[in-house]
Amino acid sequence: MDVPEDNDPNNVSSEKYSSGASTTHGKTNPGWEHVSYKKEGKTHVYTCLHWTNSFKGGGINRMKQHLASILSNISSYKRVPHDVHHWMLELLNQIRKK
């Protein structure tokens, strides 16, 4: 399995973030501005740029849950900047509505 494809259903654009969204691995998902990715063998490793803690597997949606402080299958980080926290919550709510 490689990096998630560009047709990722979590790829929600916003006027506020679309121009500044990271294109890490060809992605335009706003979550990539706050997460780095690397592959260690067959394992996908995502690192929160605010906490510098790494998580194995799960993808960008799981990392947005982390940034939004949603306790599900990932630990939350309460010191994410307020605007990032709010924006990740908004993105996750948009996904749920679809």
Side-chain angles (χ1 to χ4, degrees):
M1 186 165 126
D2 221 333
V3 178
E5 297 179 7
D6 279 336
N7 61 2
D8 179 3
N10 300 326
N11 190 356
V12 179
S13 64
S14 166
E15 193 173 310
K16 178 178 177 185
Y17 282 90
S18 62
S19 62
S22 171
T23 55
T24 303
H25 304 97
K27 306 296 173 250
T28 57
N29 189 310
W32 288 114
E33 289 184 17
H34 310 282
V35 176
S36 69
Y37 167 85
K38 68 179 176 179
K39 192 168 183 181
E40 294 178 354
K42 293 184 178 184
T43 305
H44 300 272
V45 179
Y46 301 88
T47 303
C48 172
L49 298 179
H50 298 281
W51 191 18
T52 64
N53 200 8
S54 296
F55 303 92
K56 294 182 179 179
I60 192 65
N61 191 55
R62 183 174 178 227
M63 293 304 296
K64 286 191 279 190
Q65 291 173 0
H66 163 74
L67 293 165
S69 299
I70 294 175
L71 292 174
S72 57
N73 60 356
I74 192 166
S75 62
S76 66
Y77 180 61
K78 303 293 184 193
R79 294 184 183 167
V80 171
H82 178 71
D83 62 326
V84 174
H85 171 83
H86 177 73
W87 181 236
M88 294 302 123
L89 276 174
E90 190 175 310
L91 289 172
L92 291 167
N93 285 332
Q94 289 176 10
I95 293 165
R96 273 188 232 127
K97 289 177 183 179
K98 285 185 179 181

